[in-house]
Structures are given as structure tokens and as C-alpha cells.
Amino acid sequence: MEAERLQPGDRIHRGDPIRVNRYGPAARANHWIIAASLILLSISGLALFYPVFFPLTALFGGGQWTRFIHPWIGVVLFFSFFVFFFQLWRANLPTRTDVVWVSHLKDVVAQNEDKLPELGKYNAGQKFIFWAMSGLILALIVSGVIIWDQYFADATAIPVKRVAILVHAIFAVLIICVFILHLYAGIWTRGTLRAMTRGSVTGGWAYRHHRKWLKQMVGARRIDPAE
């Protein structure tokens, strides 16, 4: 049932303005760890990938340090993201509403909210980012471990490592693209960044963008008294 997809911290706070909890402190901290890890991995990965970007290794103390640090940042990203994953995967399961939302992409781009279906906590675009990140990070950690010669040099054959290097490079480019898309969407939809800085959104924002989610909280009586 849709109501079961409410997160433990989802609550409405009466006041002027009405505030709606979207992410708790731990989730927000983890989100910024993920974001910082992705940025550092992108910079260090590009520095190792193509000679023109090699000067970026100076940010990490040189080429050797970059090669040493890069996979460990990947480990941080993997564990941080999958803590996030197990908290949010149920809320990101596809629904029929997502199909309707995708069929109205022109209205999404034009921000014609009155022509879109009522949405739960996440829309189809956000769910795409979530599942794309999940798959790409999993593929990157697997391929990254295969080519992590400092610890796993003898674990796989050379032909396997060659394939893993190619897979790692392709998926790295894809995750950079997905990350840019996620960043753009967060800036483009006014009020979204507040959820990851303050942990809450206004009642008006929730009503406009995620009305079904707001109604779920009302139906579940997740409403605190006025402060």
C-alpha cells in the first residue's frame, strides 16, 4: 500500500508556514557524504583516466596518492549510498502514477503542475536517479575491486581486468552524467535544496509537488501540534 511507503521521520508541523519533514539529520549527512564522494571520485578518476586531466592529481598530493586514495573513496561511496538505499528503496518502487508522470514530460518541463498526477514522496525522475545510481555504484565497486591491484592483483586474469577497466570507465562517465542531472533537477525545482539543507520543505511545496505524500501523512495522522 502507498501509505506503507512513508518514512519514519515524515511528519507535518503546524505553524506559519507549515513545515513538512522530508529528511532527518542522519539522512542529510549521509547524502552530503555521497555527494562529496562522487565529486572527489569524478575529479580523481578523470585525472587517472586521461592525460589532459592529470594535473588534477595535484589536488590529492600527486599521481601516486591519487591512485591510492581513489578506490578508498569508492568504498566510502558504496557503503554510504547503500545505507541510503536500504532506507529509501521501498519509497522508490515504481507505480502506475509514474507511467502517467512520464507521459506528461512536456508538462513537467513547463512546470504545469495542475496537469500532472498527484505524487508520493518521489516522482518518476527521482526514482530513475535512485535506481540508476544504485546500479551504477554496484557495477563500479565490482569492476573497481577487480582492477584494484594493490590488494586483488592475483584474484582475476588479465583479460578480465581489461574488460573491468572498460566497464569501469563507461559506467564512471554514466554516473557523472546522472549526478549532473540530479544536481540540475535539484536546482531547477525551487525549494528542493531546502530538503537537504534544513531537512524540511514548506507545506505549499509539498502540496504542489508531492500532494499524495502530503495526504498520506494527513491520513496517517502524522501531524504535530503548532509550535
Side-chain angles (χ1 to χ4, degrees), residues 103-183:
S103 69
H104 286 77
L105 278 180
K106 289 184 179 179
D107 294 315
V108 174
V109 174
Q111 295 189 327
N112 295 325
E113 304 287 342
D114 57 321
K115 296 183 179 180
L116 299 176
E118 292 187 354
L119 300 172
K121 190 168 186 177
Y122 302 107
N123 60 42
Q126 292 167 316
K127 291 178 181 180
F128 166 77
I129 297 293
F130 178 84
W131 291 108
M133 283 286 187
S134 301
L136 289 168
I137 289 173
L138 185 60
L140 285 166
I141 194 68
V142 172
S143 58
V145 167
I146 291 173
I147 62 177
W148 197 355
D149 285 347
Q150 184 178 1
Y151 299 106
F152 306 103
D154 300 325
T156 53
I158 295 298
V160 175
K161 293 182 187 295
R162 289 172 178 165
V163 173
I165 290 172
L166 178 61
V167 168
H168 198 78
I170 292 172
F171 286 170
V173 172
L174 289 176
I175 202 169
I176 290 172
C177 293
V178 171
F179 179 69
I180 292 172
L181 177 62
H182 175 56
L183 182 62

Side-chain angles (χ1 to χ4, degrees), residues 165-220:
I165 290 172
L166 178 61
V167 168
H168 198 78
I170 292 172
F171 286 170
V173 172
L174 289 176
I175 202 169
I176 290 172
C177 293
V178 171
F179 179 69
I180 292 172
L181 177 62
H182 175 56
L183 182 62
Y184 175 78
I187 296 172
W188 178 65
T189 306
R190 185 178 299 176
T192 300
L193 286 178
R194 173 189 170 121
M196 276 302 170
T197 54
R198 303 183 191 180
S200 65
V201 293
T202 64
W205 185 95
Y207 184 82
R208 180 180 181 185
H209 298 292
H210 299 274
R211 193 170 305 173
K212 184 183 291 186
W213 175 56
L214 187 64
K215 289 181 177 180
Q216 287 172 359
M217 284 183 282
V218 173

